[in-house]
Every structure is written in C-alpha cells, then in structure tokens.
Amino acid sequence: MALDQSFVGRTYPPTPAYEVGREKIREFAEAVGDANPAYVDAEAARALGHADVIAPPTFVFSITYRAAGQVVQDPQLGLDYSRVVHGDQKFSYVRPVRAGDRLTVTSTIESIKSMAGNDVIDIRGAVHDETGELVVTALTKLVARAAEEA
C-alpha cells in the first residue's frame, strides 16, 4: 500500500542535543579509515583555521539517521521498517562539525513516491548547533521494498 502523500512537508520535533566529542570523532575517523590529522589532532585542525578537531563529512549520518527514526516510527505514516533499505545519502555543509558542538536535528519529509510497488521517501535532516546556526543539511532516501507476492 502506497504511503500517504499528505505527509510530504511534515516536520518532526528537534532531537535532544548530541554533544560531539573528540573521542567519538577519532573513533569514527578510524572506523572509516580516514587519517586526516584535523580529525584527531587539535593543533593540525588549528593550523587549518579550526578552533578544535573537526569531524569527517559523514560523521553526522549517525545522528541524522537516528533522527529520521521519528519519521520511520510514526505509526500514522504506516511505513513497514522491516522492508526498508537505505537508498541514498547527501550532505550539504555550511561549516564543519567541531568537537564540542551540541547538535540537534529536525527531520522533514521532503517527498514520497511509489515506484514499481516500492515506496521511496526522502527525509531532510536540518542539523543546528546550540546557537541555532544551521551546520549541515542531510538528505536521506529510504526505500520500502514492495511486499513479495504469495
């Protein structure tokens, strides 16, 4: 059953603040195999004009995907999460994520489409810091695969 188009434009409440820690940044950079010294060494980051270490560009995925969970778990939307796969991810940065940032994410349903029986939902996650400044916008595409024929 196709998802309800009236959900397009629906915005969910901001998430609780997530405090970005140096160790989390280091662990993430190590996990993705990115040896950029600005991710682990404050002096290297300062040499590049940053106040502290910065996070790799895909670091915010973990908090924006968790925030998209508000959409996925909305019982009124009726999305069957057991059939969902991650279709695409894009980030548009205003500035890098920095150690010490306290970030919140506000998720909005950008579009809902049905293609070959699959539901495709695009979710925009606006990531703001504690001052309200937009840091990055994440666009997440989720695909709910069509139910298999019996």
Side-chain angles (χ1 to χ4, degrees):
M1 184 160 92
L3 295 176
D4 185 347
Q5 289 289 319
S6 72
F7 278 75
V8 173
R10 182 174 286 195
T11 297
Y12 293 78
T15 61
Y18 173 88
E19 187 164 347
V20 178
R22 285 185 185 144
E23 185 63 12
K24 288 288 186 186
I25 292 173
R26 186 197 63 74
E27 290 171 349
F28 186 87
E30 186 177 280
V32 298
D34 194 330
N36 184 330
Y39 303 152
V40 295
D41 180 352
E43 288 302 318
R46 280 193 273 283
L48 295 171
H50 305 289
D52 204 337
V53 296
I54 58 171
T58 55
F59 178 85
V60 295
F61 175 77
S62 61
I63 62 172
T64 58
Y65 193 75
R66 190 175 319 136
Q70 292 178 87
V71 176
V72 170
Q73 295 168 8
D74 183 340
Q76 293 178 332
L77 179 61
L79 185 66
D80 180 358
Y81 189 69
S82 71
R83 308 204 66 73
V84 171
V85 295
H86 186 241
D88 193 21
Q89 187 70 53
K90 295 178 183 167
F91 301 100
S92 177
Y93 274 86
V94 174
R95 69 159 174 85
V97 169
R98 302 183 284 244
D101 277 341
R102 291 181 47 79
L103 304 175
T104 58
V105 183
T106 303
S107 296
T108 301
I109 297 175
E110 289 285 297
S111 69
I112 296 173
K113 298 176 187 133
S114 288
M115 294 191 280
N118 300 310
D119 287 317
V120 180
I121 184 167
D122 291 316
I123 303 167
R124 176 175 34 88
V127 181
H128 293 88
D129 67 14
E130 63 276 6
T131 69
E133 176 189 2
L134 180 65
V135 176
V136 58
T137 301
L139 297 173
T140 303
K141 183 180 296 293
L142 300 176
V143 180
R145 297 170 289 118
E148 296 174 7
E149 297 293 323

